[in-house]
């Protein structure tokens, strides 16, 4: 239960402009003094200055934090709510191709590990803070409309982890997926936001790959409120609660989806997908010194967050590469035809192991700047048992597996 602002209307917040609160019946609010930053230097793109809202729940109510650009500076803004509920917020994305959308807050139920087969699945991975790339792919393939609303009907969208890090619009993407999840369920579809190693790292307080603007936002929050970066995604934050409802591995009909992969070593433990998901999420609250043997396996190089054994790798660093027999036995054990993975980069989605593994981690453009690098973004469409390469211009090309 949320304990932020009890009212029948909605409170709206933005990463760029705080929209006017015109009706405040049943809700007491107090805007606190803004804290100004010296980061970044003048001339940087505005996406470096602004940050979408974070909601942190306390015994006194809700604390909403965001950042706006003022005179080429990042300025921390805040609002406190002393009621019992917070209904919705407006998120505005700054920088190149600005966007705006409304999010209705929900109860964040735990996701299932196994789903029945469906006719249509669209999957992508490792989008890493690149909001424009995500939106373009989803619009080009008719997953969402130009107002960022779900239009995929009873189709399923799978985001295979690593929404976090290396890009400037992580928070905006989390809120968009949060919103699409609700809309898809209402239409008879589903959004599967799986956890990757970068989600797990951020939830564990490992921020070595975040963009500078997030470190600066966290510094401002700590200076004014005594909260650190981990509190933004802690179990008393709205996004932290939502992320903790997600899984690291899910089965949809004949297909297995997992960020890095299911290693033969993990498969041999006999752990069910429910147990893998449960134990993998307990790692967020543990120090490595507290890990038991299962924890160490799940967080290690043979675990679902970090495994690279389906690829040509440095075996001294990452362990042995899986054989065709390893993959066939693992998939037979779990009664699936193909495992779809991200984590390890490929030029475009490709089949491996005679079509038993589909790799879809394609490095997206750094779209928080106008002059994007020349590489392309891809997803995959699975429809009626066939796999299609889905490019950034809305084109589909059937993927054909080679004999192992």
């Amino acid at each position: 239960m949320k304990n932020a602002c009890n009212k029948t209307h909605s409170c709206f917040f933005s990463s760029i402009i705080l929209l006017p609160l015109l009706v405040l019946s049943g809700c007491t609010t107090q805007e606190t003094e803004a804290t100004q930053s010296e980061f970044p230097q003048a001339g940087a793109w505005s996406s470096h200055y602004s940050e979408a809202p974070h909601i942190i729940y306390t015994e006194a109510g809700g604390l909403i934090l965001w950042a706006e650009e003022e005179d080429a500076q990042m300025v921390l803004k805040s609002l406190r709510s002393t009621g019992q509920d917070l209904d919705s917020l407006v998120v505005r994305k700054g920088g190149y191709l600005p966007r705006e959308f409304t999010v209705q807050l929900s109860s964040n139920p735990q996701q299932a590990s196994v789903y029945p087969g469906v006719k249509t699945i669209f999957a992508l991975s490792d989008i890493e803070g690149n909001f424009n790339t995500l939106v373009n792919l989803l619009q080009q393939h008719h997953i969402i409309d130009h107002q960022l609303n779900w239009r995929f009907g009873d189709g399923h969208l799978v985001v295979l982890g690593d929404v976090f890090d290396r890009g400037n619009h992580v928070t905006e993407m989390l809120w968009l997926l949060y919103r699409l999840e609700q809309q898809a369920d209402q239409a008879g579809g589903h959004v599967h936001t799986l956890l990757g190693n970068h989600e797990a790292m951020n939830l564990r307080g490992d921020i070595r790959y975040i963009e500078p603007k997030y470190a600066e936002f966290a510094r401002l929050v700590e200076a004014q409120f005594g909260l650190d970066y981990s509190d933004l995604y802690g179990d008393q934050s709205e996004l932290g609660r939502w992320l903790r409802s997600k899984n690291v591995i899910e089965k949809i009909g004949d297909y297995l989806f997992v960020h890095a992969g299911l290693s033969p070593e993990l498969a041999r433990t006999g752990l069910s997908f429910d147990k893998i998901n449960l134990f993998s999420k307990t790692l967020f609250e543990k120090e490595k010194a507290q890990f038991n043997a299962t924890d160490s396996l799940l967080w290690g190089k043979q675990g679902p967050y970090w495994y690279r054994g389906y690829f040509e790798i440095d075996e001294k660093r990452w362990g042995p590469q899986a054989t065709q027999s390893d993959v066939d036995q693992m998939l037979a054990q779990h009664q699936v035809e193909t495992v779809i993975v991200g984590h390890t980069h490929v030029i475009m989605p490709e089949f491996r192991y005679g079509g038993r593994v589909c790799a879809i981690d394609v490095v997206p453009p750094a779209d928080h700047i106008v002059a994007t690098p020349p590489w392309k973004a891809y997803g995959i469409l699975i429809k009626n048992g066939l796999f299609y390469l889905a490019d950034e211009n809305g084109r589909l090309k059937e993927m054909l597996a080679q004999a192992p």
Side-chain angles (χ1 to χ4, degrees):
M1 294 295 293
K2 302 178 183 66
N3 54 355
C5 180
N6 187 13
K7 57 187 184 301
T8 58
H9 67 285
S10 297
C11 285
F12 299 89
F13 304 94
S14 163
S15 64
I16 303 176
I17 301 173
L18 181 65
L19 301 184
L21 298 177
L22 300 178
V23 182
L24 294 175
S25 59
C27 178
T28 303
T29 61
Q30 177 183 0
E31 188 168 1
T32 62
E33 181 180 355
T35 300
Q36 186 169 343
S37 164
E38 295 182 357
F39 170 88
Q41 298 300 313
W45 292 102
S46 62
S47 65
H48 291 292
Y49 301 88
S50 59
E51 169 61 344
H54 294 261
I55 304 172
I56 299 174
Y57 300 109
T58 68
E59 292 182 0
L63 174 63
I64 301 92
L65 302 167
W66 71 101
E68 298 177 11
E69 176 189 354
E70 295 184 6
D71 298 325
Q73 298 293 326
M74 176 185 284
V75 177
L76 179 65
K77 301 287 186 175
S78 64
L79 193 70
R80 288 190 182 273
S81 300
T82 58
Q84 296 181 344
D85 189 41
L86 178 63
D87 298 319
S88 64
L89 52 81
V90 169
V91 177
R92 284 184 176 174
K93 170 199 160 290
Y96 182 55
L97 297 178
R99 303 277 185 167
E100 178 182 305
F101 55 95
T102 302
V103 178
Q104 302 292 325
L105 302 183
S106 69
S107 58
N108 303 324
Q110 292 294 315
Q111 300 296 294
S113 299
V114 178
Y115 294 80
V118 297
K119 180 180 177 181
T120 309
I121 300 171
F122 191 91
L124 52 87
S125 187
D126 296 73
I127 205 72
E128 295 183 342
N130 290 293
F131 186 97
N132 293 337
T133 300
L134 173 66
V135 166
N136 179 65
L137 269 175
L138 297 185
Q139 287 179 340
Q140 292 288 346
H141 293 281
H142 312 294
I143 314 299
I144 62 175
D145 63 21
H146 288 288
Q147 286 72 47
L148 310 183
N149 294 310
W150 182 261
R151 60 172 297 191
F152 202 36
D154 61 0
H156 284 223
L157 170 65
V158 181
V159 180
L160 263 180
D162 283 9
V163 172
F164 275 81
D165 295 338
R166 298 193 175 102
N168 261 8
H169 298 117
V170 171
T171 314
E172 294 89 338
M173 286 210 302
L174 294 174
W175 284 122
L176 178 61
L177 293 171
Y178 183 114
R179 162 188 156 111
L180 290 176
E181 181 179 287
Q182 299 169 23
Q183 294 182 342
D185 286 346
Q186 292 169 4
H190 200 74
V191 174
H192 307 256
T193 303
L194 300 189
L195 301 174
N197 60 302
H198 284 272
E199 281 73 37
M201 290 168 70
N202 277 264
L203 290 170
R204 285 177 49 78
D206 183 343
I207 58 174
R208 74 184 88 164
Y209 294 111
I210 66 172
E211 287 294 295
K213 81 164 210 178
Y214 295 106
E216 182 62 13
F217 181 74
R219 189 191 69 78
L220 297 177
V221 169
E222 183 174 11
Q224 184 165 339
F225 295 100
L227 302 170
D228 63 23
Y229 181 89
S230 63
D231 292 309
L232 300 176
Y233 299 106
D235 59 9
Q236 296 303 308
S237 72
E238 183 64 27
L239 287 174
R241 291 175 177 179
W242 179 74
L243 287 164
R244 284 167 173 79
S245 75
K246 307 309 170 198
N247 294 322
V248 68
I249 188 168
E250 289 183 5
K251 178 183 175 183
I252 307 174
D254 292 332
Y255 308 114
L256 183 62
F257 295 87
V258 55
H259 175 66
L262 181 61
S263 69
E265 183 175 346
L266 180 54
R268 284 193 291 268
T269 66
L271 287 173
S272 68
F273 296 148
D274 282 339
K275 290 290 181 64
I276 291 173
N277 285 322
L278 175 63
F279 297 157
S280 293
K281 288 186 284 189
T282 65
L283 305 178
F284 305 154
E285 323 304 334
K286 292 182 179 180
E287 299 294 335
K288 287 187 179 180
Q290 300 173 302
F291 282 4
N292 59 31
T294 300
D295 296 336
S296 295
L297 174 59
L298 291 170
W299 187 243
K301 297 172 183 177
Q302 299 298 306
Y305 292 118
W306 295 98
Y307 184 59
R308 296 193 190 274
Y310 302 147
F311 302 86
E312 296 73 24
I313 52 173
D314 179 352
E315 296 194 6
K316 291 183 178 179
R317 180 180 181 187
W318 294 105
Q321 185 175 357
T323 66
Q324 184 71 48
S325 177
D326 289 333
V327 172
D328 291 341
Q329 290 178 21
M330 179 267 292
L331 296 182
Q333 174 184 340
H334 293 288
Q335 299 179 322
V336 294
E337 292 297 322
T338 304
V339 57
I340 296 91
V341 300
H343 187 57
T344 300
H345 296 167
V346 290
I347 300 300
M348 63 179 62
E350 64 182 34
F351 280 128
R352 290 173 164 261
Y353 293 89
R356 307 308 304 278
V357 173
C358 184
I360 66 169
D361 173 10
V362 179
V363 182
D367 64 14
H368 57 280
I369 58 175
V370 176
T372 58
W375 56 74
K376 297 181 179 181
Y378 294 90
I380 62 166
L381 179 72
I382 307 173
K383 188 169 184 178
N384 296 325
L386 299 177
F387 282 63
Y388 297 89
L389 187 74
D391 76 11
E392 58 192 4
N393 296 310
R395 294 174 296 207
L396 297 173
K397 180 179 179 181
E398 185 175 353
M399 298 175 62
L400 300 175
Q402 302 295 320

